[in-house]
């Protein structure tokens, strides 16, 4: 294949990022903006040893599994590459991805439960970070195009509750009214960089205005406007991010208005969330995820449980009343503080939260606390090897692994399967409809400690 030449092909799969996969004489080429079953014309733009990247030229024949909407799905940005693939087909693809990754990477050939999808797979996100930029001198708020710094102006965010649309409109009006300068990366001037919007079950919102500098011109006018036009806004923060990193939020948060925390609910539990705490993005599916984790754990009043990567203690609190003790480990200080407050607010007295990196804290904790069950819920990169080794030393009866990345999950499980553990349950859950991501709850049992659940 030649770079710059045009080829034709049938899309047969998605990559883990959601690009279409075409095989041209057996050579895989990845093309964005297509779905499985499309026959397309593409230009080869990059050729590596084992794969190429192509650019879509035209769709010759549309897939029968395409879904069209009355709005331009492109405005939702690069985070939802599967949006034009029928939802039931997305679910099947994700279920199969979990099965294939476990087999290919982990060498684990096991039955998996049918994936649990959403009844209404829209407006499910309770946290979004939305870039603010400029097109030809005009301020725009919207998501980035895939693999680009170009912003697509957003009218309605079908991934978040309606209150987010209202906030975006209000901020846009304030920018126009007071001629507020958005941050210009090239010149290093201007103020506003991003909006972080968190929402809760009661349709209340926390707005985080990310700025390059400490001053926000006409700040009080903005607060006044938001309070007047978006009554659901109960908390406003400024976050200062002067760095050029890939992270949206910088280290410094300044409380500008209202509540310091946003209170949200999962099942019977309430959680106070700080602007920088991790909280699962999809409330409806999170409840299913936690219920599954709890079922797999088979809680008993003699159990001592480690909740590793505990965030604001959500899983810990979910199981606390059914076990003797639960011990969380988490590296973000504010999340640990939230966990302790959340325990108190929910009347939980048998939980402890330790601050620190799990790979440093856990090896010490296993000498003091003889937990017989373990939950791990790491970020996408999976567990550090020190965490896996500490779990092996601890030798719990059950390990419940909650994962948002089947590849690193399979890598970690492979180590545990060599150490007397067997995967006995796999439950995929669709936490992120229309993205290529899939969440999973896995039960591992130590040989000799297996019983039916
Ligand atoms: C996928 S979240 C899970 C949080 C929580 N279990 C929940 O359901 O909301 C992963 C968490 O791990 C934390 N984390 C990341 N790296 C860590 C590390 N090395 N040690 C401990 N916690 C870490 C993050 O701050 C985040 O809260």
């Amino acid at each position: 294949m030649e770079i710059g030449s045009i080829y034709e092909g049938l899309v047969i799969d998605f990559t883990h990022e959601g690009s279409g996969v075409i095989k041209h004489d057996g050579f895989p080429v990845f093309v964005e903006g297509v779905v499985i079953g499309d026959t397309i014309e593409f230009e080869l733009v990059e050729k590596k040893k084992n794969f190429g990247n192509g650019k879509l030229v035209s769709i010759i024949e549309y897939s029968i599994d395409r879904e069209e909407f009355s709005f331009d799905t492109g405005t939702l940005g690069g985070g939802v590459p599967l949006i034009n693939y029928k939802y039931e087909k997305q679910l099947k693809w994700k279920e199969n991805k979990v099965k294939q990754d476990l087999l290919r990477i982990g060498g684990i050939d096991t039955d998996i439960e049918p994936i649990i999808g959403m009844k209404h797979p829209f407006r499910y996100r309770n946290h979004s970070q939305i870039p603010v930029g400029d097109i030809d001198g005009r301020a725009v708020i919207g998501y980035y195009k895939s693999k680009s710094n170009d912003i697509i102006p957003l009218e309605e965010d079908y991934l978040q509750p309606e209150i987010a649309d209202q906030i975006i409109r209000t901020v846009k009006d304030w920018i126009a009214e007071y001629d507020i300068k958005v941050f210009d990366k090239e010149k290093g001037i201007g103020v506003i960089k991003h909006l972080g919007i968190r929402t809760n079950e009661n349709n209340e919102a926390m707005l985080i205005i990310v700025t390059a500098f400490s001053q926000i011109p006409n700040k009080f006018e903005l607060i006044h406007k938001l309070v007047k036009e978006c009554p659901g806004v109960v908390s406003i923060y400024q976050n200062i991010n002067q760095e050029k990193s890939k992270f949206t939020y910088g280290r410094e948060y300044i409380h500008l208005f209202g509540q310091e925390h946003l209170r949200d609910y999962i099942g019977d539990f309430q959680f106070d969330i700080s602007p920088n705490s991790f909280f699962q993005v999809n409330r409806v599916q999170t409840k299913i995820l936690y219920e599954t984790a709890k079922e797999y754990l088979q809680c008993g009043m003699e159990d001592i449980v480690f909740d590793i990567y505990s965030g604001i203690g959500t899983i810990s609190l979910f199981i606390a009343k059914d076990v003797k003790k639960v011990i969380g480990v988490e590296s973000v200080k504010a999340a640990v503080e939230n966990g302790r407050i959340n325990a108190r607010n929910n009347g939980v007295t048998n939980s402890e939260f330790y601050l620190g990196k799990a790979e440093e804290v856990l090896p010490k904790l296993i000498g003091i606390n003889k937990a017989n069950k373990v939950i791990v819920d790491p970020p996408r990169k999976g567990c550090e090897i020190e965490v896996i080794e500490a779990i092996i030393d601890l030798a719990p009866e059950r390990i419940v692994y909650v994962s948002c990345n089947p590849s690193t999950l399979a890598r970690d499980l492979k180590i545990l399967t060599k150490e007397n553990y067997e995967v006995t349950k796999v439950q995929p859950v669709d936490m992120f409809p229309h993205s290529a991501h899939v969440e999973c709850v896995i039960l591992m049992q130590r040989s000799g400690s297996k019983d039916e659940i």
Side-chain angles (χ1 to χ4, degrees):
M1 294 182 84
E2 295 285 325
I3 290 179
S5 294
I6 308 288
Y7 299 90
E8 208 181 292
L10 173 69
V11 181
I12 53 167
D13 201 354
F14 293 116
T15 64
H16 67 277
E17 288 178 333
S19 294
V21 179
I22 289 128
K23 288 247 172 105
H24 187 87
D25 291 338
F27 183 73
V29 182
F30 309 144
V31 180
E32 287 184 4
V34 296
V35 304
I36 295 174
D38 283 343
T39 303
I40 64 164
E41 229 184 4
F42 64 94
E43 177 190 339
L44 188 72
V45 291
E46 189 178 23
K47 194 175 173 188
K48 302 216 169 162
K49 191 163 164 247
N50 297 322
F51 68 92
N53 284 309
K55 194 170 148 214
L56 180 66
V57 174
S58 66
I59 298 177
I60 299 167
E61 194 177 334
Y62 285 92
S63 167
I64 54 166
D65 297 320
R66 261 192 174 263
E67 180 89 74
E68 297 302 337
F69 296 93
S70 55
F71 63 95
D72 176 7
T73 51
T75 60
L76 301 181
V80 284
L82 271 52
I83 192 157
N84 291 107
Y85 196 44
K86 281 184 181 153
Y87 186 56
E88 69 271 20
K89 288 282 176 176
Q90 292 181 27
L91 292 175
K92 270 286 153 218
W93 179 82
K94 291 184 183 191
E95 192 181 297
N96 190 46
K97 178 168 168 46
V98 172
K99 176 131 185 104
Q100 292 310 320
D101 280 359
L102 287 180
L103 187 60
R104 195 171 46 83
I105 303 168
I108 299 159
D109 188 5
T110 183
D111 288 339
I112 65 173
E113 304 294 322
I115 187 168
I116 302 173
M118 293 194 80
K119 280 201 189 87
H120 306 289
F122 284 95
R123 298 212 183 262
Y124 63 83
R125 287 192 70 96
N126 53 32
H127 184 194
S128 286
Q129 297 160 20
I130 308 168
V132 183
D134 145 325
I135 300 178
D136 301 329
R138 195 173 49 88
V140 282
I141 303 177
Y143 294 106
Y144 290 124
K145 260 188 211 162
S146 173
K147 293 179 190 154
S148 150
N149 281 335
D150 293 347
I151 295 175
I152 315 162
L154 184 66
E155 288 304 326
E156 276 186 79
D157 186 346
Y158 292 95
L159 302 178
Q160 286 207 94
E162 276 93 349
I163 186 170
D165 298 337
Q166 228 175 341
I167 294 172
I168 292 169
R169 275 196 295 273
T170 306
V171 175
K172 237 184 338 194
D173 290 349
W174 167 75
I175 289 176
E177 196 172 338
Y178 296 97
D179 195 21
I180 306 294
K181 300 291 176 236
V182 303
F183 184 66
D184 181 326
K185 271 192 204 135
E186 309 298 317
K187 297 185 187 137
I189 53 171
V191 184
I192 313 294
K193 292 176 102 175
H194 272 85
L195 301 182
I197 301 177
R198 285 181 175 266
T199 52
N200 69 9
E201 193 182 67
N202 296 336
N203 231 354
E204 294 169 332
M206 171 190 279
L207 170 65
I208 306 151
I209 306 154
V210 185
T211 61
F213 304 103
S214 54
Q215 295 293 326
I216 305 181
N218 301 93
K219 181 169 72 182
F220 294 106
E221 285 80 356
L222 173 62
I223 296 171
H224 187 252
K225 202 170 170 65
L226 282 163
V227 171
K228 199 165 138 226
E229 293 176 19
C230 313
V233 174
V234 293
S235 171
I236 306 177
Y237 274 86
Q238 176 183 4
N239 174 271
I240 304 173
N241 189 358
Q242 293 176 322
E243 286 159 42
K244 277 190 178 161
S245 75
K246 63 176 177 155
F247 298 108
T248 301
Y249 298 129
R251 258 171 260 232
E252 195 185 346
Y253 287 86
I254 301 170
H255 181 233
L256 299 181
F257 166 80
Q259 301 168 14
E260 286 187 19
H261 302 120
L262 187 67
R263 179 159 289 181
D264 207 355
Y265 305 84
I266 295 177
D268 296 334
F269 301 90
Q270 63 179 48
F271 299 97
D272 279 348
I273 305 157
S274 297
N276 59 340
S277 294
F278 176 89
F279 191 65
Q280 297 280 359
V281 109
N282 183 330
R283 190 179 308 107
V284 173
Q285 297 300 86
T286 297
K287 183 160 180 275
I288 294 170
L289 194 79
Y290 290 176
E291 278 165 353
T292 308
K294 187 170 173 184
E295 180 198 336
Y296 286 2
L297 208 61
Q298 285 267 291
C299 299
M301 289 316 291
E302 292 308 307
D303 289 338
I304 298 178
V305 183
F306 273 127
D307 176 12
I308 309 169
Y309 308 95
S310 50
I312 57 167
T314 35
I315 301 183
S316 295
L317 301 189
F318 215 75
I319 60 164
K321 287 183 178 148
D322 298 291
V323 298
K324 187 173 175 190
K325 185 172 167 187
V326 57
I327 303 153
V329 180
E330 163 63 45
S331 63
V332 173
K333 191 169 174 223
V336 169
E337 284 163 4
N338 285 166
R340 290 174 185 151
I341 295 169
N342 289 333
R344 217 177 33 238
N345 290 348
N346 287 284
V348 169
T349 52
N350 58 340
S351 63
E352 285 172 10
F353 294 97
Y354 287 87
L355 173 64
K357 290 185 174 165
E359 56 274 27
E360 292 166 9
V361 174
L362 192 65
K364 294 177 199 148
L365 279 182
I366 58 168
I368 315 164
N369 293 280
K370 288 293 163 213
N372 58 327
K373 293 179 182 172
V374 165
I375 300 169
V376 278
D377 183 5
R380 286 187 63 72
K381 67 179 172 135
C383 295
E384 302 292 337
I385 186 68
E386 293 86 350
V387 172
I388 304 272
E389 284 170 355
I391 294 173
I392 292 167
D393 284 350
L394 183 70
E397 296 149 37
R398 282 170 185 253
I399 304 169
V400 175
Y401 194 135
V402 180
S403 159
C404 55
N405 184 348
S407 317
T408 53
L409 168 74
R411 177 202 69 198
D412 292 348
L413 296 188
K414 187 176 183 180
I415 306 171
L416 289 160
T417 52
K418 290 198 177 126
E419 298 286 343
N420 242 354
Y421 283 94
E422 193 185 332
V423 175
T424 50
K425 287 272 181 189
V426 181
Q427 177 64 71
V429 178
D430 191 25
M431 295 283 274
F432 318 104
H434 316 302
S435 77
H437 297 286
V438 55
E439 193 92 9
C440 240
V441 190
I442 299 270
L443 171 63
M444 294 195 98
Q445 289 176 265
R446 205 181 58 221
S447 304
S449 67
K450 263 202 290 174
D451 44 35
E452 286 304 307
I453 64 165

